[in-house]
Amino acid sequence: MGRRPAMHKDHRCCDGPPGKTWAFQDERSVATEMEALLPRLSLLLLLLAVGWGSGAAAAWATSSGSCELVQSTADCTGRWLSSVPGNLRGDTEELLLDDNAIQVLGNASLLSYHQLRCLSLTKNRLELIEPGTFLSSQGLHVLSLAENLLFTNYSLTAAALSALPALRMLDLAGNRLTEDMVSVLVWNLSSLESLSVARNIIMRLDSSVFTNLTQLLELNLEKNYIFEIDQAFEGLQRLQRLNVAYNYLPCVVEFGLTQLRVLNVSNNVIEWFLALESDDLFELEVLDLSHNRLLFFPVLPRQSKLHSLLLKDNEMSFYQRLPNGTSLVDVTVQFLLIDGNSTNITTVSLWDEICHSNFSSLHLLDMSQNQVWYLPEGFLAQMPSLTHLKLNQNCLEKFHLSEGDPLAMLTELDLSQNQLVELGAEAGARDVLPNLQLFNLSTNRLRALPPGVFTYTRKITTVDLSRNQVDLCPQPAVASKAESPPCVDIRGVETLTHLSLAGCGLRGLGGHPFQGTSLMHLDLSDNHQALSGDLGWLQDLALTLQVLSLRNTSLSSTAMDFSAFNSLMHLDLSGNSLTVFPTSLGILKLRSLDLRDNCLTTLPPDIARTPLGKSLREVYLSRNPYNCCTLGWWDALQWVEGLHVLDGQEVTCSYASHTLSLRALPEPVLRSCRWLTADLALLYLVLVLPTCLTLLVAFAVVFLMLKQKLLKMVKSRYGVSSPY
């Protein structure tokens, strides 16, 4: 999508005068300023005296009071200042005083700064600028007074501004100004080229507000309360950029600003846009009517240089024929225009007006989020230069592609989130959308695409077919073509690099559906029956595939072999039923891996030492039933340099029917786990050894107690004399 014109610029910084070379202060000027701070900076002066070298001196930014001085710029932002510092260099050209507490600019506030070119006082408490404030700074080019309280003394502030004959850019945004206050403030600023009065309380504009701004090129009026504009811009003959976004305009009629290049009227309540009926050439290049309440396609100038037309988020449709087959080709629409005591009725045949508008230079057309259910015949034929067409989030049921179509220059076509059941193409067409690069057909009702639709799109790189009930064509079968079920054939599309088939209801993929392609990104998520135990049907992509999403595909087999995908960088296996970590992942050099929402109780304890562990930079691990007593892998991952567990706060483990956070396991749980995971042989030794020792001691005691009796018994039985 094309970017909406940015009408408001940051005027804090400004360039120096043409031809002037900015230079750092030399050592003598540094020394002069430092003399006042000699007690604290004696060491610095000593180092400079012995000659640090020009390189060190050139890199030094001095400080005067609480402001940073670099070249001819003084930055005093956010210093809680209540007045303008008076001790800065006299040749300061840019003075930044944003985010302070200054309430008044007095007549003497800028007396020392004769060369000032840029002054910014955004976000202060400024209520008054005294009439003589700028008498010594009449070369000022850029002045930012946004987010202050200038409404309180606007007439005196206006007198001060009138002393700036060279002022080019003025920002008065966010000052609670009404249209009458703005008129007074800018009355004598005929040199202005850029003016912002955004975020004020302007409600109505007429020809008296900007009367004297004959040099104005850019005007920003966004985020006010404007509901009526009555010839307010007719005198601004040089105006090129106009921003009236985020207001309350109900319509734009008799638009006749031929010199305007960019018009932003988005985020209003506009129901129709009617350009002046004229054969004059309009310089208009960008028109933003998005986020309004348009009921009809705008009636645009007959001759213009329009290259971007933004109509997103309206209530627009075409009414030449209705869904029930009724034709309204001869029906006209009447607009009642009331201006004071005069009433004017304009009769328009909208379909003829569309045809009379010149779209030959149009590059971007965004009609997304409307109520369009068909396009009038010949509508797109007027746009031979169109490169980006956005028709997503409408009610289209059919879209027809034909050879020699006026959309030959189209590089992006977005038809997503419609009700398409058919994408038509002429039989045997050999030159359909030859320059198309991005084709988005997601979230429709398609079951197939025209045969060979991608064959002649010589530059196609990205196709999104997600949320359609389509099947991928297998290898050519023996059965006749008539018996083959409807399918999408992408084989041989060499330029295709990104393909999304999420939620397509794919069943039992096999064969070689990706043969002859060089896919790098493949999304197969939300296809519960797509995988059939192995990844053989993906082998044609083993050398090119970098991003693969198998999210929510009912994966449960640990025998799936990923080892052939050496180029894989990002893999999503979330939302499946994996109970064991696939061992083949260990040899891959993935950058990111998503294992959320599976049934994993542990990961390999040596995962940090594998090629996978060394290459991983991002990993998701949450919502798995990990065992709290087998977390050696978790501890190892914490020591891997550069690895980020992006959902680390959400990773939990299970212990005795309790769910605990891995980052804060209680000490009793850790002690219990140590016992449970200890070496069993050692445990048995610890348990048996005391028993054995006890028995040995008992035997020794019994032997000593019965020694004499045992000896007498032996002697009496065997008749051997005893030495005792």
Side-chain angles (χ1 to χ4, degrees):
M1 174 180 175
R3 290 166 47 190
R4 205 162 52 192
M7 304 298 294
H8 175 64
K9 293 183 178 178
D10 183 359
H11 299 323
R12 282 184 45 180
C13 300
C14 59
D15 295 332
K20 179 172 181 179
T21 302
W22 289 13
F24 287 93
Q25 298 172 345
D26 58 22
E27 295 182 14
R28 289 175 299 176
S29 62
V30 172
T32 301
E33 294 184 11
M34 292 300 181
E35 286 177 357
L37 303 174
L38 187 58
R40 289 182 294 172
L41 300 176
S42 57
L43 177 60
L44 175 62
L45 287 173
L46 178 60
L47 290 172
L48 287 174
V50 299
W52 249 4
S54 59
W60 189 259
T62 64
S63 174
S64 181
S66 58
C67 301
E68 294 294 327
L69 307 178
V70 179
Q71 297 181 353
S72 58
T73 297
D75 188 351
C76 309
T77 300
R79 311 286 177 159
W80 296 96
L81 299 175
S82 58
S83 61
V84 178
N87 59 339
L88 304 177
R89 289 178 47 178
D91 60 349
T92 298
E93 296 181 1
E94 183 176 8
L95 179 56
L96 308 179
L97 292 163
D98 301 337
D99 199 14
N100 281 290
I102 300 173
Q103 289 184 285
V104 177
L105 278 186
N107 291 330
S109 295
L110 302 175
L111 201 59
S112 303
Y113 308 119
H114 300 283
Q115 299 184 31
L116 202 61
R117 296 291 181 269
C118 177
L119 174 62
S120 182
L121 286 152
T122 299
K123 292 184 181 179
N124 277 269
R125 302 172 185 174
L126 198 59
E127 298 179 359
L128 170 65
I129 301 178
E130 294 182 353
T133 300
F134 299 116
L135 291 178
S136 61
S137 306
Q138 295 191 8
L140 197 66
H141 290 162
V142 178
L143 177 59
S144 179
L145 302 172
E147 310 300 335
N148 281 289
L149 304 170
L150 294 180
F151 71 97
T152 52
N153 294 286
Y154 70 93
S155 57
L156 291 175
T157 298
L161 295 178
S162 65
L164 293 172
L167 192 63
R168 300 287 183 267
M169 305 170 73
L170 175 63
D171 190 349
L172 296 172
N175 276 284
R176 306 183 198 176
L177 302 173
T178 66
E179 56 269 28
D180 293 332
M181 296 176 185
V182 171
S183 178
V184 173
L185 285 166
V186 302
W187 184 259
N188 291 311
L189 302 181
S190 58
S191 61
L192 270 188
E193 296 178 355
S194 177
L195 172 64
S196 175
V197 285
R199 302 186 303 282
N200 281 291
I201 53 175
I202 301 170
M203 302 181 69
R204 185 183 182 278
L205 294 175
D206 57 32
S207 58
S208 65
V209 179
F210 306 114
T211 299
N212 296 324
L213 304 184
T214 55
Q215 303 299 312
L216 199 64
L217 300 174
E218 179 178 1
L219 177 59
N220 187 355
L221 291 158
E222 70 176 3
K223 295 184 179 179
N224 277 279
Y225 299 88
I226 302 171
F227 65 89
E228 183 180 2
I229 298 176
D230 183 12
Q231 297 184 339
F233 312 123
E234 270 63 16
L236 308 180
Q237 296 300 319
R238 298 191 61 196
L239 188 64
Q240 296 182 5
R241 301 172 65 90
L242 175 60
N243 185 356
V244 202
Y246 295 97
N247 280 283
Y248 295 90
L249 292 174
C251 63
V252 177
V253 296
E254 296 184 342
F255 171 74
L257 300 178
T258 57
Q259 83 284 2
L260 204 63
R261 294 182 181 273
V262 177
L263 174 60
N264 184 355
V265 284
S266 63
N267 293 280
N268 279 270
V269 291
I270 296 173
E271 294 186 351
W272 62 82
F273 181 97
L274 300 174
L276 191 66
E277 292 188 24
S278 171
D279 291 326
D280 294 340
L281 176 62
F282 282 67
E283 298 293 328
L284 191 64
E285 297 175 356
V286 178
L287 174 58
D288 191 348
L289 284 162
S290 56
H291 308 291
N292 277 287
R293 299 179 184 175
L294 284 174
L295 299 172
F296 310 100
F297 193 86
V299 179
L300 301 170
R302 293 177 180 174
Q303 300 293 330
S304 72
K305 299 180 180 179
L306 194 65
H307 62 68
S308 298
L309 178 56
L310 309 177
L311 303 171
K312 179 180 180 179
D313 188 22
N314 279 280
E315 301 172 17
M316 192 172 60
S317 185
F318 296 101
Y319 303 94
Q320 189 172 1
R321 54 186 175 89
L322 301 181
N324 61 9
T326 305
S327 176
L328 301 178
V329 66
D330 297 323
V331 176
T332 58
V333 177
Q334 292 184 329
F335 295 97
L336 180 63
L337 308 178
I338 302 176
D339 185 8
N341 296 325
S342 63
T343 301
N344 183 27
I345 298 177
T346 300
T347 302
V348 177
S349 178
L350 292 178
W351 347 113
D352 290 341
E353 293 294 331
I354 291 172
C355 293
H356 290 163
S357 299
N358 185 354
F359 297 110
S360 60
S361 59
L362 193 64
H363 290 246
L364 167 63
L365 175 59
D366 186 352
M367 294 171 57
S368 58
Q369 298 182 39
N370 278 280
Q371 300 176 17
V372 177
W373 68 277
Y374 84 101
L375 296 178
E377 185 175 353
F379 176 68
L380 296 178
Q382 307 170 79
M383 308 172 188
S385 302
L386 199 64
T387 57
H388 297 75
L389 175 59
K390 293 180 175 291
L391 293 169
N392 51 299
Q393 299 185 58
N394 277 284
C395 310
L396 292 170
E397 296 180 356
K398 297 180 180 180
F399 193 86
H400 191 74
L401 305 174
S402 60
E403 187 173 6
D405 198 292
L407 300 179
M409 299 298 295
L410 204 63
T411 60
E412 178 184 356
L413 176 56
D414 191 346
L415 297 172
S416 62
Q417 300 185 59
N418 277 278
Q419 301 176 28
L420 287 174
V421 295
E422 178 185 346
L423 186 66
E426 296 178 357
R430 300 177 60 87
D431 197 15
V432 176
L433 303 176
N435 290 295
L436 192 66
Q437 298 177 21
L438 189 152
F439 199 5
N440 191 347
L441 289 165
S442 64
T443 317
N444 278 286
R445 302 177 184 177
L446 295 169
R447 299 190 65 86
L449 298 181
V453 67
F454 298 122
T455 304
Y456 302 105
T457 51
R458 296 181 292 272
K459 299 180 181 179
I460 190 75
T461 61
T462 304
V463 174
D464 191 345
L465 290 169
S466 58
R467 308 299 185 276
N468 285 284
Q469 295 302 306
V470 298
D471 285 317
L472 289 182
C473 291
Q475 281 284 69
V478 177
S480 64
K481 196 171 184 178
E483 297 175 357
S484 300
C487 61
V488 175
D489 194 351
I490 63 168
R491 290 169 293 178
V493 185
E494 298 177 354
T495 59
L496 189 62
T497 58
H498 294 65
L499 176 62
S500 178
L501 295 166
C504 287
L506 298 174
R507 297 173 178 268
L509 289 175
H512 297 270
F514 305 111
Q515 188 175 33
T517 67
S518 300
L519 284 177
M520 294 189 293
H521 295 242
L522 178 60
D523 186 356
L524 295 170
S525 58
D526 299 317
N527 286 288
H528 300 284
Q529 303 178 34
L531 308 181
S532 56
D534 61 61
L535 300 176
W537 45 274
L538 275 176
Q539 294 304 313
D540 292 317
L541 305 177
L543 299 179
T544 61
L545 198 59
Q546 298 179 9
V547 180
L548 175 61
S549 176
L550 298 176
R551 182 182 69 253
N552 197 21
T553 52
S554 302
L555 275 178
S556 59
S557 172
T558 59
M560 302 197 76
D561 188 2
F562 292 93
S563 59
F565 298 91
N566 296 321
S567 299
L568 204 58
M569 304 289 288
H570 307 274
L571 178 61
D572 186 353
L573 297 175
S574 62
N576 286 292
S577 304
L578 294 174
T579 56
V580 179
F581 184 81
T583 56
S584 60
L585 293 180
I587 65 173
L588 299 183
K589 297 182 179 179
L590 299 177
R591 303 283 295 180
S592 71
L593 176 63
D594 194 340
L595 293 170
R596 286 175 290 185
D597 288 302
N598 275 281
C599 303
L600 297 169
T601 58
T602 187
L603 295 184
D606 63 342
I607 187 172
R609 298 192 298 272
T610 63
L612 173 65
K614 295 176 181 178
S615 64
L616 268 181
R617 291 296 173 263
E618 296 179 353
V619 64
Y620 294 90
L621 298 170
S622 62
R623 298 193 287 278
N624 279 284
Y626 300 115
N627 187 337
C628 289
C629 293
T630 57
L631 295 177
W633 59 269
W634 172 259
D635 296 332
L637 289 180
Q638 306 308 304
W639 292 97
V640 177
E641 185 178 357
L643 176 61
H644 302 282
V645 182
L646 297 181
D647 57 346
Q649 299 293 338
E650 304 171 28
V651 182
T652 59
C653 63
S654 299
Y655 177 82
S657 73
H658 295 288
T659 300
L660 306 172
S661 172
L662 265 65
R663 293 188 181 274
L665 286 178
E667 186 59 31
V669 174
L670 295 175
R671 286 199 301 268
S672 177
C673 285
R674 292 191 196 103
W675 276 104
L676 292 175
T677 57
D679 190 339
L680 291 179
L682 180 62
L683 180 62
Y684 291 151
L685 180 62
V686 171
L687 293 175
V688 172
L689 186 60
T691 303
C692 294
L693 290 174
T694 302
L695 292 174
L696 183 61
V697 170
F699 176 79
V701 171
V702 170
F703 176 77
L704 292 175
M705 291 176 61
L706 301 176
K707 178 179 179 181
Q708 293 297 330
K709 294 181 179 180
L710 289 173
L711 291 174
K712 289 180 180 180
M713 184 183 300
V714 171
K715 180 179 179 182
S716 62
R717 173 169 297 188
Y718 295 101
V720 179
S721 60
S722 173
Y724 303 100

